[in-house]
Amino acid sequence: MSVERSSKINLNHHPRVKNKMTMPHIYVILFIFIALASIATYIIPAGVYERIPGPEGRTTIDPNSYHAVEQSPIGVVEFMTAIPRGLVAAGEVVFFTFIIGGLFAVIKRTGLIEIGVDKLTRRFSTKSVMVIPVLVILFATVCSLIGTQELSLVYVPVILPLMIALGYDSMVAVAIALIATTAGFTTGFLNPINTGLGQKLSGLPVFSGLELRIIAFIVFVLIGVVYIIRYAQKVKKNPMASLVYEEDSKKRIQYHTKSASTVYKATSRQRFASVLLLIFFGLLVYGVLTQGWFMVEMAGLFIVMGIVVGRISGLTFSDICEGFNEGFREVLVGAFIVGVARAVAVVMEDGLVMDTIVNSLGNVVGEFPAVFSAIGMFIVQMLFNFLVPSGSGQALVTMPIMAPLSDLIGVTRQTAVLAYQFGDGIGNILYPTSGYFMATLALAGVSWQKWVRFYLPLFSMWFVAAIIFLIFAQVIQWNG
Protein backbone atom coordinates (compact mmCIF):
# COMPACT_ATOMS: atom_id res chain seq x y z
CA MET A 1 0.00 0.00 0.00
CA SER A 2 2.80 2.39 0.91
CA VAL A 3 4.62 1.59 -2.33
CA GLU A 4 1.50 2.35 -4.37
CA ARG A 5 0.97 5.65 -2.59
CA SER A 6 4.60 6.59 -3.11
CA SER A 7 4.34 5.97 -6.85
CA LYS A 8 1.34 8.26 -7.05
CA ILE A 9 3.23 11.00 -5.25
CA ASN A 10 6.14 10.71 -7.69
CA LEU A 11 3.74 10.85 -10.62
CA ASN A 12 2.07 13.97 -9.28
CA HIS A 13 5.41 15.73 -8.92
CA HIS A 14 6.98 14.60 -12.18
CA PRO A 15 8.16 17.84 -13.82
CA ARG A 16 7.16 16.83 -17.36
CA VAL A 17 3.61 15.91 -16.27
CA LYS A 18 3.28 19.19 -14.38
CA ASN A 19 4.40 21.25 -17.36
CA LYS A 20 2.02 19.41 -19.66
CA MET A 21 -0.97 20.24 -17.49
CA THR A 22 -0.06 23.92 -16.94
CA MET A 23 -2.74 26.34 -18.11
CA PRO A 24 -3.59 29.98 -17.43
CA HIS A 25 -5.32 30.65 -14.14
CA ILE A 26 -9.04 31.38 -14.29
CA TYR A 27 -8.34 35.00 -13.39
CA VAL A 28 -5.86 35.28 -16.26
CA ILE A 29 -8.38 33.88 -18.76
CA LEU A 30 -11.04 36.34 -17.66
CA PHE A 31 -8.59 39.26 -17.53
CA ILE A 32 -7.68 38.58 -21.18
CA PHE A 33 -11.36 38.77 -22.14
CA ILE A 34 -11.73 42.04 -20.21
CA ALA A 35 -8.75 43.45 -22.09
CA LEU A 36 -10.13 42.31 -25.46
CA ALA A 37 -13.53 43.81 -24.63
CA SER A 38 -11.83 47.10 -23.76
CA ILE A 39 -9.95 47.13 -27.07
CA ALA A 40 -13.22 46.40 -28.89
CA THR A 41 -14.68 49.68 -27.60
CA TYR A 42 -12.12 51.51 -29.78
CA ILE A 43 -13.06 49.51 -32.89
CA ILE A 44 -16.82 48.83 -32.74
CA PRO A 45 -19.04 51.89 -33.41
CA ALA A 46 -20.94 53.08 -30.35
CA GLY A 47 -24.74 52.92 -30.36
CA VAL A 48 -27.66 52.59 -27.96
CA TYR A 49 -31.27 51.53 -27.70
CA GLU A 50 -33.75 53.46 -25.59
CA ARG A 51 -34.59 51.69 -22.33
CA ILE A 52 -38.27 51.24 -21.43
CA PRO A 53 -40.19 49.51 -18.61
CA GLY A 54 -40.61 45.78 -19.17
CA PRO A 55 -42.39 42.84 -17.51
CA GLU A 56 -42.38 42.65 -13.70
CA GLY A 57 -40.74 46.05 -13.34
CA ARG A 58 -37.66 45.03 -15.34
CA THR A 59 -36.03 47.38 -17.84
CA THR A 60 -35.95 46.27 -21.45
CA ILE A 61 -35.22 47.98 -24.80
CA ASP A 62 -37.27 49.64 -27.55
CA PRO A 63 -36.31 47.57 -30.65
CA ASN A 64 -36.95 50.50 -33.01
CA SER A 65 -34.85 53.05 -31.16
CA TYR A 66 -31.27 52.05 -32.03
CA HIS A 67 -29.09 54.99 -33.02
CA ALA A 68 -25.40 55.75 -33.23
CA VAL A 69 -23.79 57.89 -30.54
CA GLU A 70 -20.40 59.43 -29.94
CA GLN A 71 -17.63 56.89 -29.43
CA SER A 72 -16.95 56.18 -25.74
CA PRO A 73 -13.87 53.95 -25.54
CA ILE A 74 -12.72 52.52 -22.23
CA GLY A 75 -9.96 54.60 -20.65
CA VAL A 76 -7.26 53.64 -18.20
CA VAL A 77 -9.37 54.34 -15.10
CA GLU A 78 -12.40 52.46 -16.47
CA PHE A 79 -10.20 49.47 -17.34
CA MET A 80 -8.52 49.58 -13.93
CA THR A 81 -11.87 49.57 -12.13
CA ALA A 82 -13.61 47.04 -14.39
CA ILE A 83 -13.27 44.14 -11.96
CA PRO A 84 -14.48 46.06 -8.86
CA ARG A 85 -17.42 47.39 -10.89
CA GLY A 86 -18.09 43.87 -12.13
CA LEU A 87 -18.29 42.68 -8.53
CA VAL A 88 -20.75 45.47 -7.73
CA ALA A 89 -22.86 44.74 -10.82
CA ALA A 90 -22.94 41.04 -9.98
CA GLY A 91 -23.48 41.70 -6.28
CA GLU A 92 -26.75 39.77 -6.11
CA VAL A 93 -25.16 36.64 -7.57
CA VAL A 94 -21.96 37.08 -5.55
CA PHE A 95 -23.78 37.23 -2.23
CA PHE A 96 -26.16 34.48 -3.27
CA THR A 97 -23.08 32.30 -3.81
CA PHE A 98 -21.79 33.21 -0.33
CA ILE A 99 -25.11 32.34 1.32
CA ILE A 100 -25.29 29.00 -0.51
CA GLY A 101 -21.79 28.17 0.69
CA GLY A 102 -22.70 29.16 4.23
CA LEU A 103 -25.90 27.11 4.22
CA PHE A 104 -24.08 24.04 2.93
CA ALA A 105 -21.41 24.32 5.62
CA VAL A 106 -24.08 24.55 8.35
CA ILE A 107 -25.98 21.55 6.96
CA LYS A 108 -22.66 19.72 6.77
CA ARG A 109 -22.09 20.38 10.48
CA THR A 110 -25.46 18.85 11.32
CA GLY A 111 -24.27 15.50 9.95
CA LEU A 112 -27.18 15.23 7.52
CA ILE A 113 -24.91 15.13 4.48
CA GLU A 114 -22.77 12.30 5.85
CA ILE A 115 -25.89 10.34 6.72
CA GLY A 116 -27.34 10.82 3.27
CA VAL A 117 -24.09 9.93 1.49
CA ASP A 118 -23.64 6.84 3.67
CA LYS A 119 -27.15 5.58 2.97
CA LEU A 120 -26.91 6.24 -0.75
CA THR A 121 -23.47 4.62 -0.97
CA ARG A 122 -24.73 1.44 0.65
CA ARG A 123 -28.01 1.42 -1.28
CA PHE A 124 -26.25 1.81 -4.63
CA SER A 125 -23.18 -0.24 -3.77
CA THR A 126 -24.15 -3.03 -6.19
CA LYS A 127 -25.84 -0.80 -8.79
CA SER A 128 -23.89 2.41 -8.36
CA VAL A 129 -24.53 3.59 -11.90
CA MET A 130 -28.24 4.03 -11.11
CA VAL A 131 -27.48 7.01 -8.88
CA ILE A 132 -26.49 9.03 -11.97
CA PRO A 133 -29.88 9.06 -13.76
CA VAL A 134 -31.67 9.55 -10.43
CA LEU A 135 -29.65 12.66 -9.57
CA VAL A 136 -29.63 14.07 -13.11
CA ILE A 137 -33.41 13.76 -13.49
CA LEU A 138 -33.96 15.26 -10.03
CA PHE A 139 -31.62 18.24 -10.55
CA ALA A 140 -32.85 18.84 -14.10
CA THR A 141 -36.48 18.85 -13.00
CA VAL A 142 -35.77 21.28 -10.17
CA CYS A 143 -33.92 23.65 -12.51
CA SER A 144 -36.66 23.43 -15.12
CA LEU A 145 -39.15 24.51 -12.46
CA ILE A 146 -37.26 27.30 -10.71
CA GLY A 147 -34.50 28.17 -13.18
CA THR A 148 -31.59 28.44 -10.74
CA GLN A 149 -28.51 26.93 -12.35
CA GLU A 150 -26.59 28.43 -9.44
CA LEU A 151 -27.83 25.48 -7.35
CA SER A 152 -25.03 23.47 -8.98
CA LEU A 153 -22.83 25.28 -6.46
CA VAL A 154 -24.77 23.44 -3.77
CA TYR A 155 -25.03 20.10 -5.53
CA VAL A 156 -21.34 19.61 -6.23
CA PRO A 157 -20.07 19.68 -2.61
CA VAL A 158 -22.95 17.41 -1.58
CA ILE A 159 -22.52 14.70 -4.22
CA LEU A 160 -18.73 14.83 -4.61
CA PRO A 161 -18.05 12.53 -1.62
CA LEU A 162 -20.72 10.12 -2.89
CA MET A 163 -19.24 9.91 -6.38
CA ILE A 164 -15.73 9.27 -5.04
CA ALA A 165 -17.05 6.68 -2.59
CA LEU A 166 -18.83 4.86 -5.42
CA GLY A 167 -15.60 4.64 -7.43
CA TYR A 168 -16.11 7.57 -9.82
CA ASP A 169 -14.32 10.94 -9.89
CA SER A 170 -14.78 14.68 -9.45
CA MET A 171 -15.60 15.08 -13.13
CA VAL A 172 -18.65 12.82 -12.72
CA ALA A 173 -19.80 14.89 -9.74
CA VAL A 174 -19.44 18.22 -11.52
CA ALA A 175 -20.97 16.74 -14.71
CA ILE A 176 -24.08 15.56 -12.87
CA ALA A 177 -24.59 19.02 -11.36
CA LEU A 178 -23.80 21.13 -14.43
CA ILE A 179 -25.29 18.92 -17.15
CA ALA A 180 -28.48 18.28 -15.18
CA THR A 181 -29.10 21.93 -14.34
CA THR A 182 -28.23 23.01 -17.89
CA ALA A 183 -30.56 20.46 -19.50
CA GLY A 184 -33.36 21.56 -17.20
CA PHE A 185 -32.67 25.27 -17.62
CA THR A 186 -32.24 25.11 -21.40
CA THR A 187 -35.51 23.31 -22.10
CA GLY A 188 -37.23 25.02 -19.14
CA PHE A 189 -40.84 23.94 -19.56
CA LEU A 190 -41.81 25.88 -16.40
CA ASN A 191 -38.69 28.01 -16.00
CA PRO A 192 -39.59 31.58 -14.98
CA ILE A 193 -36.06 32.86 -15.64
CA ASN A 194 -35.79 32.15 -19.37
CA THR A 195 -39.05 30.65 -20.68
CA GLY A 196 -41.43 32.80 -18.66
CA LEU A 197 -39.57 36.08 -19.15
CA GLY A 198 -38.84 35.38 -22.82
CA GLN A 199 -42.51 34.72 -23.49
CA LYS A 200 -43.61 37.84 -21.63
CA LEU A 201 -41.24 39.98 -23.67
CA SER A 202 -42.53 38.31 -26.85
CA GLY A 203 -46.20 38.84 -26.02
CA LEU A 204 -46.91 35.12 -25.57
CA PRO A 205 -48.94 33.41 -22.83
CA VAL A 206 -46.53 32.42 -20.06
CA PHE A 207 -45.52 28.74 -20.21
CA SER A 208 -47.44 28.15 -23.43
CA GLY A 209 -46.01 25.53 -25.80
CA LEU A 210 -45.46 23.22 -22.85
CA GLU A 211 -45.68 19.94 -24.78
CA LEU A 212 -42.74 20.48 -27.15
CA ARG A 213 -40.57 21.81 -24.33
CA ILE A 214 -41.27 18.70 -22.23
CA ILE A 215 -40.20 16.52 -25.18
CA ALA A 216 -37.03 18.61 -25.52
CA PHE A 217 -36.45 18.21 -21.77
CA ILE A 218 -36.66 14.43 -22.04
CA VAL A 219 -34.31 14.32 -25.04
CA PHE A 220 -31.68 16.64 -23.55
CA VAL A 221 -31.73 14.85 -20.19
CA LEU A 222 -31.51 11.42 -21.83
CA ILE A 223 -28.52 12.45 -23.94
CA GLY A 224 -26.83 13.90 -20.86
CA VAL A 225 -27.46 10.82 -18.71
CA VAL A 226 -26.09 8.41 -21.32
CA TYR A 227 -23.03 10.60 -21.85
CA ILE A 228 -22.20 10.80 -18.13
CA ILE A 229 -22.79 7.07 -17.58
CA ARG A 230 -20.43 6.11 -20.40
CA TYR A 231 -17.65 8.22 -18.91
CA ALA A 232 -18.40 7.07 -15.35
CA GLN A 233 -18.29 3.37 -16.28
CA LYS A 234 -14.96 3.92 -18.02
CA VAL A 235 -13.54 5.52 -14.87
CA LYS A 236 -14.97 2.79 -12.63
CA LYS A 237 -13.37 0.11 -14.80
CA ASN A 238 -10.04 1.92 -15.04
CA PRO A 239 -9.54 4.77 -12.52
CA MET A 240 -6.49 6.01 -14.43
CA ALA A 241 -8.78 6.79 -17.38
CA SER A 242 -10.17 9.67 -15.30
CA LEU A 243 -9.44 13.13 -16.64
CA VAL A 244 -8.81 14.24 -13.05
CA TYR A 245 -7.04 11.15 -11.72
CA GLU A 246 -4.12 13.01 -10.19
CA GLU A 247 -6.27 15.79 -8.72
CA ASP A 248 -8.50 13.21 -7.01
CA SER A 249 -5.71 11.26 -5.29
CA LYS A 250 -6.33 12.76 -1.83
CA LYS A 251 -10.11 12.60 -2.24
CA ARG A 252 -9.97 8.87 -3.04
CA ILE A 253 -8.06 8.16 0.15
CA GLN A 254 -10.33 10.38 2.26
CA TYR A 255 -13.75 9.32 1.01
CA HIS A 256 -13.10 5.62 0.40
CA THR A 257 -11.64 5.21 3.89
CA LYS A 258 -14.40 7.24 5.50
CA SER A 259 -17.27 5.44 3.80
CA ALA A 260 -15.83 2.01 4.46
CA SER A 261 -15.14 2.44 8.17
CA THR A 262 -18.04 4.55 9.40
CA VAL A 263 -21.76 3.82 9.61
CA TYR A 264 -23.98 6.85 10.16
CA LYS A 265 -27.29 6.62 11.98
CA ALA A 266 -29.69 9.55 12.23
CA THR A 267 -30.92 10.73 15.61
CA SER A 268 -34.54 11.77 16.10
CA ARG A 269 -33.47 15.43 15.90
CA GLN A 270 -31.65 14.81 12.62
CA ARG A 271 -34.66 13.00 11.16
CA PHE A 272 -36.87 15.94 12.09
CA ALA A 273 -34.34 18.33 10.58
CA SER A 274 -34.40 16.32 7.35
CA VAL A 275 -38.17 16.74 7.14
CA LEU A 276 -37.77 20.47 7.73
CA LEU A 277 -35.27 20.66 4.87
CA LEU A 278 -37.86 19.20 2.51
CA ILE A 279 -40.49 21.66 3.77
CA PHE A 280 -38.11 24.59 3.24
CA PHE A 281 -37.36 23.38 -0.26
CA GLY A 282 -41.08 23.17 -1.01
CA LEU A 283 -41.42 26.75 0.27
CA LEU A 284 -38.57 27.76 -2.04
CA VAL A 285 -40.33 26.28 -5.09
CA TYR A 286 -43.60 27.93 -4.06
CA GLY A 287 -41.95 31.34 -3.64
CA VAL A 288 -40.16 31.19 -7.00
CA LEU A 289 -43.18 29.98 -8.96
CA THR A 290 -45.94 32.08 -7.37
CA GLN A 291 -44.33 35.00 -5.53
CA GLY A 292 -41.62 36.04 -7.97
CA TRP A 293 -38.77 35.18 -5.63
CA PHE A 294 -35.23 35.31 -6.98
CA MET A 295 -31.75 35.44 -5.51
CA VAL A 296 -32.35 37.96 -2.73
CA GLU A 297 -35.45 36.17 -1.44
CA MET A 298 -33.86 32.75 -1.85
CA ALA A 299 -30.74 33.90 0.00
CA GLY A 300 -32.91 35.15 2.85
CA LEU A 301 -34.71 31.82 2.99
CA PHE A 302 -31.38 29.98 3.00
CA ILE A 303 -30.23 31.98 6.03
CA VAL A 304 -33.41 31.10 7.92
CA MET A 305 -33.09 27.50 6.75
CA GLY A 306 -29.54 27.24 8.07
CA ILE A 307 -30.50 28.68 11.48
CA VAL A 308 -33.66 26.58 11.97
CA VAL A 309 -32.27 23.28 10.66
CA GLY A 310 -29.02 23.83 12.53
CA ARG A 311 -30.78 24.44 15.85
CA ILE A 312 -33.18 21.52 15.40
CA SER A 313 -30.21 19.26 14.65
CA GLY A 314 -28.54 20.29 17.91
CA LEU A 315 -26.06 22.95 16.83
CA THR A 316 -25.50 25.98 19.04
CA PHE A 317 -25.86 29.48 17.63
CA SER A 318 -22.07 29.78 17.72
CA ASP A 319 -21.76 26.55 15.72
CA ILE A 320 -24.19 27.92 13.14
CA CYS A 321 -22.33 31.22 12.87
CA GLU A 322 -19.00 29.47 12.47
CA GLY A 323 -20.59 27.17 9.92
CA PHE A 324 -21.65 30.13 7.81
CA ASN A 325 -18.16 31.64 8.13
CA GLU A 326 -16.60 28.36 7.05
CA GLY A 327 -18.91 28.21 4.04
CA PHE A 328 -18.12 31.80 3.09
CA ARG A 329 -14.42 30.97 3.04
CA GLU A 330 -14.94 27.84 0.93
CA VAL A 331 -16.81 29.67 -1.86
CA LEU A 332 -14.77 32.89 -1.72
CA VAL A 333 -12.89 32.16 -4.94
CA GLY A 334 -16.05 31.06 -6.73
CA ALA A 335 -17.95 34.15 -5.64
CA PHE A 336 -15.10 36.41 -6.74
CA ILE A 337 -14.96 34.72 -10.14
CA VAL A 338 -18.61 35.64 -10.68
CA GLY A 339 -17.75 39.33 -10.35
CA VAL A 340 -14.62 39.08 -12.50
CA ALA A 341 -16.65 37.39 -15.25
CA ARG A 342 -19.29 40.14 -15.04
CA ALA A 343 -16.58 42.75 -15.73
CA VAL A 344 -16.51 41.72 -19.42
CA ALA A 345 -20.12 42.84 -19.89
CA VAL A 346 -19.52 45.96 -17.76
CA VAL A 347 -16.75 47.07 -20.13
CA MET A 348 -18.92 46.45 -23.21
CA GLU A 349 -21.80 48.39 -21.67
CA ASP A 350 -19.64 51.31 -20.53
CA GLY A 351 -18.05 51.50 -23.98
CA LEU A 352 -21.55 51.71 -25.52
CA VAL A 353 -20.88 48.81 -27.90
CA MET A 354 -23.16 46.16 -26.37
CA ASP A 355 -26.24 47.52 -28.13
CA THR A 356 -24.32 47.81 -31.38
CA ILE A 357 -23.44 44.12 -31.17
CA VAL A 358 -27.08 43.23 -30.48
CA ASN A 359 -28.28 45.34 -33.40
CA SER A 360 -25.69 43.82 -35.73
CA LEU A 361 -26.55 40.27 -34.70
CA GLY A 362 -30.24 41.00 -35.29
CA ASN A 363 -29.43 42.26 -38.78
CA VAL A 364 -27.41 39.10 -39.48
CA VAL A 365 -30.39 36.91 -38.59
CA GLY A 366 -32.57 38.88 -41.01
CA GLU A 367 -30.23 37.89 -43.86
CA PHE A 368 -30.66 34.15 -43.31
CA PRO A 369 -32.85 32.19 -45.79
CA ALA A 370 -36.31 31.63 -44.28
CA VAL A 371 -35.79 27.91 -43.66
CA PHE A 372 -32.65 28.64 -41.65
CA SER A 373 -33.90 31.71 -39.79
CA ALA A 374 -34.66 29.86 -36.55
CA ILE A 375 -31.20 28.24 -36.65
CA GLY A 376 -29.70 31.67 -37.25
CA MET A 377 -31.48 33.01 -34.17
CA PHE A 378 -30.15 30.09 -32.15
CA ILE A 379 -26.54 30.68 -33.24
CA VAL A 380 -26.80 34.44 -32.67
CA GLN A 381 -28.23 33.90 -29.18
CA MET A 382 -25.45 31.44 -28.38
CA LEU A 383 -22.77 33.91 -29.51
CA PHE A 384 -24.35 36.72 -27.49
CA ASN A 385 -24.46 34.42 -24.47
CA PHE A 386 -20.67 34.77 -24.26
CA LEU A 387 -21.10 38.45 -23.41
CA VAL A 388 -24.23 38.14 -21.25
CA PRO A 389 -24.38 34.70 -19.56
CA SER A 390 -27.40 35.76 -17.49
CA GLY A 391 -30.58 34.19 -18.89
CA SER A 392 -32.83 37.05 -17.80
CA GLY A 393 -30.28 39.67 -18.87
CA GLN A 394 -29.98 38.13 -22.31
CA ALA A 395 -33.77 37.94 -22.68
CA LEU A 396 -34.22 41.60 -21.75
CA VAL A 397 -31.67 42.70 -24.36
CA THR A 398 -32.34 40.32 -27.26
CA MET A 399 -35.99 39.25 -27.18
CA PRO A 400 -37.47 42.74 -27.81
CA ILE A 401 -35.51 42.60 -31.09
CA MET A 402 -35.88 38.92 -31.97
CA ALA A 403 -39.63 38.73 -31.31
CA PRO A 404 -40.72 41.37 -33.87
CA LEU A 405 -37.92 40.26 -36.22
CA SER A 406 -39.37 36.74 -36.17
CA ASP A 407 -42.65 38.10 -37.54
CA LEU A 408 -40.81 39.61 -40.52
CA ILE A 409 -38.78 36.52 -41.42
CA GLY A 410 -41.50 33.90 -41.00
CA VAL A 411 -40.50 32.41 -37.65
CA THR A 412 -43.17 32.08 -34.96
CA ARG A 413 -42.50 33.94 -31.73
CA GLN A 414 -42.71 30.67 -29.82
CA THR A 415 -39.86 29.30 -31.97
CA ALA A 416 -37.89 32.51 -31.41
CA VAL A 417 -38.19 32.00 -27.65
CA LEU A 418 -37.05 28.38 -28.02
CA ALA A 419 -34.04 29.53 -30.07
CA TYR A 420 -33.18 31.96 -27.28
CA GLN A 421 -33.52 29.18 -24.66
CA PHE A 422 -31.21 26.83 -26.56
CA GLY A 423 -28.70 29.57 -27.38
CA ASP A 424 -28.60 30.84 -23.82
CA GLY A 425 -28.51 27.41 -22.19
CA ILE A 426 -25.86 25.17 -23.67
CA GLY A 427 -23.16 27.86 -23.69
CA ASN A 428 -23.56 28.55 -19.97
CA ILE A 429 -21.29 25.62 -19.10
CA LEU A 430 -18.75 26.30 -21.85
CA TYR A 431 -17.88 29.99 -21.72
CA PRO A 432 -15.46 31.18 -19.00
CA THR A 433 -17.51 34.39 -18.71
CA SER A 434 -20.26 32.36 -17.01
CA GLY A 435 -19.64 33.12 -13.36
CA TYR A 436 -21.59 30.40 -11.58
CA PHE A 437 -20.13 27.79 -13.97
CA MET A 438 -16.53 28.76 -13.27
CA ALA A 439 -17.31 28.91 -9.56
CA THR A 440 -18.72 25.38 -9.68
CA LEU A 441 -15.59 24.08 -11.39
CA ALA A 442 -13.48 25.77 -8.72
CA LEU A 443 -15.47 24.11 -5.94
CA ALA A 444 -14.98 20.70 -7.54
CA GLY A 445 -11.28 21.24 -8.23
CA VAL A 446 -11.77 20.69 -11.97
CA SER A 447 -9.90 22.94 -14.41
CA TRP A 448 -11.77 24.71 -17.21
CA GLN A 449 -9.41 23.14 -19.76
CA LYS A 450 -10.26 19.60 -18.66
CA TRP A 451 -13.96 20.38 -18.43
CA VAL A 452 -13.99 21.67 -22.02
CA ARG A 453 -12.27 18.46 -23.12
CA PHE A 454 -14.99 16.47 -21.35
CA TYR A 455 -17.96 18.62 -22.40
CA LEU A 456 -17.31 19.41 -26.08
CA PRO A 457 -18.66 16.08 -27.44
CA LEU A 458 -21.88 16.50 -25.42
CA PHE A 459 -22.08 20.15 -26.45
CA SER A 460 -21.99 19.00 -30.09
CA MET A 461 -24.79 16.48 -29.49
CA TRP A 462 -26.98 19.09 -27.78
CA PHE A 463 -26.19 21.55 -30.57
CA VAL A 464 -27.46 19.10 -33.18
CA ALA A 465 -30.52 18.24 -31.07
CA ALA A 466 -31.36 21.94 -30.74
CA ILE A 467 -31.16 22.42 -34.52
CA ILE A 468 -33.47 19.43 -35.09
CA PHE A 469 -36.06 20.81 -32.67
CA LEU A 470 -35.88 24.26 -34.26
CA ILE A 471 -36.25 22.89 -37.79
CA PHE A 472 -39.26 20.87 -36.63
CA ALA A 473 -40.79 23.94 -34.97
CA GLN A 474 -40.15 25.97 -38.12
CA VAL A 475 -41.71 23.35 -40.41
CA ILE A 476 -44.93 23.06 -38.36
CA GLN A 477 -44.97 26.83 -37.67
CA TRP A 478 -45.20 26.04 -33.97
CA ASN A 479 -46.88 28.71 -31.90
CA GLY A 480 -48.00 26.72 -28.85
Side-chain angles (χ1 to χ4, degrees):
M1 188 63 152
S2 60
V3 174
E4 181 182 356
R5 187 176 300 178
S6 175
S7 64
K8 291 180 182 178
I9 293 174
N10 290 336
L11 176 62
N12 290 341
H13 288 80
H14 195 288
R16 293 181 64 183
V17 173
K18 182 177 180 180
N19 290 337
K20 183 179 179 181
M21 301 309 298
T22 298
M23 64 167 290
H25 192 279
I26 292 174
Y27 294 157
V28 175
I29 294 171
L30 293 175
F31 184 83
I32 290 172
F33 284 119
I34 295 170
L36 292 174
S38 300
I39 294 171
T41 64
Y42 287 86
I43 301 172
I44 300 174
V48 296
Y49 285 100
E50 298 296 331
R51 263 55 183 178
I52 59 175
E56 300 175 355
R58 299 171 184 260
T59 300
T60 184
I61 67 172
D62 178 356
N64 300 314
S65 65
Y66 177 79
H67 58 280
V69 296
E70 184 179 350
Q71 202 75 11
S72 179
I74 295 299
V76 174
V77 174
E78 289 84 1
F79 178 75
M80 182 177 63
T81 59
I83 291 177
R85 287 184 294 121
L87 284 163
V88 172
E92 189 172 294
V93 183
V94 170
F95 286 103
F96 181 65
T97 304
F98 275 122
I99 298 302
I100 283 179
L103 171 66
F104 169 75
V106 172
I107 301 303
K108 187 176 180 181
R109 285 189 173 215
T110 66
L112 295 179
I113 291 176
E114 286 83 355
I115 293 169
V117 169
D118 181 66
K119 288 185 177 181
L120 286 171
T121 303
R122 298 178 192 284
R123 177 168 296 182
F124 289 98
S125 59
T126 56
K127 296 181 179 180
S128 60
V129 74
M130 290 305 299
V131 76
I132 295 175
V134 169
L135 291 176
V136 170
I137 293 171
L138 174 62
F139 296 162
T141 302
V142 169
C143 198
S144 197
L145 292 174
I146 64 177
T148 50
Q149 288 179 286
E150 290 79 8
L151 284 177
S152 58
L153 289 164
V154 177
Y155 298 149
V156 164
V158 173
I159 66 176
L160 181 59
L162 174 62
M163 292 302 110
I164 300 296
L166 291 175
Y168 302 127
D169 64 1
S170 297
M171 188 68 77
V172 173
V174 77
I176 288 173
L178 289 175
I179 290 171
T181 54
T182 300
F185 184 86
T186 300
T187 55
F189 53 88
L190 289 177
N191 184 351
I193 306 303
N194 63 356
T195 308
L197 182 58
Q199 289 178 326
K200 286 181 180 179
L201 291 166
S202 303
L204 295 168
V206 176
F207 302 133
S208 55
L210 187 68
E211 297 81 0
L212 186 59
R213 286 186 175 84
I214 290 177
I215 295 173
F217 173 84
I218 294 170
V219 171
F220 273 64
V221 169
L222 180 61
I223 293 173
V225 166
V226 172
Y227 187 79
I228 297 172
I229 287 177
R230 288 187 62 184
Y231 172 82
Q233 288 178 325
K234 182 172 68 174
V235 170
K236 182 116 178 178
K237 184 177 180 180
N238 177 19
M240 294 191 70
S242 166
L243 292 173
V244 288
Y245 179 78
E246 296 170 23
E247 294 89 333
D248 280 355
S249 57
K250 291 183 179 179
K251 299 174 189 173
R252 284 193 296 273
I253 296 173
Q254 177 185 359
Y255 294 130
H256 275 306
T257 302
K258 189 174 183 178
S259 61
S261 61
T262 309
V263 178
Y264 295 92
K265 293 184 178 180
T267 64
S268 57
R269 300 186 69 162
Q270 287 173 323
R271 284 193 291 269
F272 183 40
S274 299
V275 174
L276 280 177
L277 271 179
L278 294 177
I279 293 174
F280 272 116
F281 186 76
L283 180 60
L284 174 68
V285 174
Y286 169 79
V288 169
L289 292 179
T290 67
Q291 304 301 310
W293 287 7
F294 196 46
M295 290 188 182
V296 171
E297 292 82 5
M298 286 191 290
L301 181 65
F302 288 159
I303 293 173
V304 175
M305 188 188 306
I307 296 171
V308 173
V309 173
R311 284 295 294 151
I312 294 297
S313 299
L315 299 181
T316 66
F317 284 114
S318 293
D319 290 333
I320 294 170
C321 292
E322 287 304 315
F324 272 107
N325 284 337
E326 178 186 343
F328 299 157
R329 289 190 292 269
E330 289 178 354
V331 300
L332 175 62
V333 172
F336 190 77
I337 288 172
V338 173
V340 177
R342 181 68 176 88
V344 177
V346 167
V347 166
M348 303 293 281
E349 291 165 357
D350 288 355
L352 301 180
V353 298
M354 184 72 82
D355 288 2
T356 301
I357 293 173
V358 175
N359 182 66
S360 300
L361 291 176
N363 291 335
V364 168
V365 172
E367 297 298 323
F368 275 79
V371 69
F372 297 120
S373 296
I375 299 174
M377 284 187 168
F378 163 53
I379 294 173
V380 163
Q381 292 282 14
M382 189 167 61
L383 292 173
F384 188 72
N385 183 241
F386 177 84
L387 299 176
V388 183
S390 164
S392 58
Q394 184 169 340
L396 291 164
V397 173
T398 63
M399 288 316 297
I401 297 172
M402 294 300 176
L405 179 62
S406 67
D407 298 336
L408 298 176
I409 61 179
V411 175
T412 66
R413 292 196 172 198
Q414 199 73 263
T415 304
V417 173
L418 188 64
Y420 146 68
Q421 290 178 239
F422 287 153
D424 169 56
I426 65 176
N428 280 338
I429 55 173
L430 176 64
Y431 300 143
T433 50
S434 176
Y436 90 91
F437 157 59
M438 298 298 280
T440 302
L441 293 183
L443 285 176
V446 174
S447 72
W448 179 66
Q449 182 186 44
K450 290 191 175 182
W451 169 259
V452 170
R453 180 180 169 188
F454 169 84
Y455 177 58
L456 273 180
L458 176 61
F459 173 83
S460 302
M461 296 177 204
W462 275 352
F463 186 90
V464 172
I467 289 177
I468 292 173
F469 271 102
L470 290 170
I471 291 176
F472 176 76
Q474 176 79 343
V475 168
I476 67 171
Q477 284 295 290
W478 174 57
N479 211 21

